[in-house]
């Protein structure tokens, strides 16, 4: 069984926590399109970590990712499937939270991948997305979802499970 933890955007780091603790990277990273990547050896990472600005940036990156992880764990227990779908869509519009990019209206993701991110069946996701589309909150496209109302998505995403 597979689970997609995140979809990273341009300028994102992958594997920084493994470099920081000198352990193997436990996950896989798969590119959805062409990528220019930089493989940073552990020694080079250690040298960069001696620079205060770089170390602070890494702390901010890792902290933001751990925060998102803890939020996701709490969401599984406390939020409805619909709320979790809404929150994940909002997260995807922001891209990598550590990159501080402007939110995007269109999310390029397949429904199968989105279901894997949420740990739910593709059919369950389809029902939730259809409901959101009928409410005029999103528009479904081929391997994409356009957010029409981030305000409504946020309202739905904040609801707790009954």
């Amino acid at each position: 069984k597979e689970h997609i933890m995140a979809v990273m955007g341009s300028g994102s780091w992958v594997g920084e926590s493994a470099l920081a603790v000198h352990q193997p990277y436990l996950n896989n990273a798969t590119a959805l399109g062409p990528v220019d990547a930089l493989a940073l050896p552990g020694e080079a990472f250690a040298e960069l970590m001696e620079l205060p600005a770089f170390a602070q940036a890494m702390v901010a990156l890792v902290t933001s990712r751990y925060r998102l992880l803890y939020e996701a764990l709490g969401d599984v227990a406390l939020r409805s499937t619909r709320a979790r779908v809404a929150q994940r869509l909002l997260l995807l519009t922001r891209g990598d939270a550590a990159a501080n990019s402007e939110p995007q209206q269109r999310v390029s993701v397949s429904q199968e991948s989105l279901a894997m991110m949420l740990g739910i069946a593709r059919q369950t996701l389809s029902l939730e997305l259809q409901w959101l589309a009928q409410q005029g909150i999103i528009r479904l496209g081929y391997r994409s979802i356009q957010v029409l109302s981030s305000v409504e998505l946020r309202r739905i995403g904040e609801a707790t499970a009954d």
Side-chain angles (χ1 to χ4, degrees):
K1 189 173 182 178
E2 289 186 21
H3 182 77
I4 297 174
M5 295 297 293
V7 175
M8 311 303 261
S10 178
S12 296
W13 283 77
V14 176
E16 68 286 338
S17 60
L19 285 171
V21 296
H22 311 289
Q23 297 289 320
Y25 187 60
L26 299 176
N27 302 302
N28 293 323
T30 303
L32 301 176
V35 171
D36 290 323
L38 171 68
L40 192 63
E43 301 81 27
F45 183 79
E47 286 179 31
L48 287 170
M49 285 298 288
E50 292 177 15
L51 302 172
F54 184 83
Q56 288 174 350
M58 281 295 110
V59 168
L61 174 70
V62 172
T63 301
S64 69
R65 291 201 179 145
Y66 284 130
R67 186 177 141 261
L68 291 173
L69 176 63
Y70 281 111
E71 287 176 4
L73 288 172
D75 288 346
V76 170
L78 301 175
R79 304 223 185 271
S80 68
T81 300
R82 183 166 295 157
R84 290 176 50 222
V85 169
Q87 285 186 327
R88 180 57 67 138
L89 288 173
L90 287 170
L91 179 64
L92 290 171
T93 64
R94 292 193 307 262
D96 183 8
N100 294 323
S101 59
E102 288 294 315
Q104 303 297 312
Q105 293 265 350
R106 184 174 302 279
V107 176
S108 295
V109 64
S110 70
Q111 289 187 28
E112 182 176 346
S113 294
L114 184 55
M116 289 172 66
M117 289 178 210
L118 292 162
I120 61 177
R122 164 75 175 74
Q123 295 82 356
T124 301
L125 175 65
S126 181
L127 291 173
E128 296 298 341
L129 291 175
Q130 288 173 17
W131 185 87
L132 291 168
Q134 289 169 354
Q135 303 305 307
I137 299 168
I138 64 170
R139 180 177 299 133
L140 300 174
Y142 178 72
R143 292 186 163 273
S144 70
I145 299 168
Q146 183 179 3
V147 175
L148 302 175
S149 176
S150 58
V151 171
E152 281 301 304
L153 267 186
R154 195 169 293 108
R155 183 188 63 75
I156 293 166
E158 291 171 354
T160 56
D162 294 334

